[in-house]
Amino acid sequence: MKSQTSNMPTDAKCLSRTLKAVANETRLGILYALETGDRQLNDLVVTIGKPYPSVLQHLKPLIDEGWVTKVSGRYPAYHLADRSGVSRFMDFCRSL
């Protein structure tokens, strides 16, 4: 039996992957936290209320799908890759 997604347009597959990256309460919490500005990992741990390994695990899909980027440095921080785009998405979610 063929996969149901085998005939799906590439754009739909991409959108599905992107939405799966944010379809999680912790990941949405990270996006909410980053809406106000860049955050270091320790700050995200406190804000989200999850253990360090869990926050790192949830950051990975957000980074992989382009929602979040990591700023390297002495104290690495995370920020929204496209603050305007993510803010519009979050406003849409709040309106539901």
Side-chain angles (χ1 to χ4, degrees), residues 27-36 39 80 90 93-94:
R27 293 179 198 145
L28 286 172
I30 291 170
L31 293 180
Y32 277 116
L34 294 176
E35 271 191 302
T36 60
R39 301 280 185 110
L80 297 177
M90 299 302 275
C93 290
R94 287 183 195 102

Side-chain angles (χ1 to χ4, degrees), residues 5-6 12 15 23-24 33 37 40-41 47 63 72 79 84 93:
T5 60
S6 64
L15 180 58
N24 176 283
Q40 293 178 348
L41 183 58
T47 301
I63 291 168
S72 297
H79 71 266
S84 173
C93 290

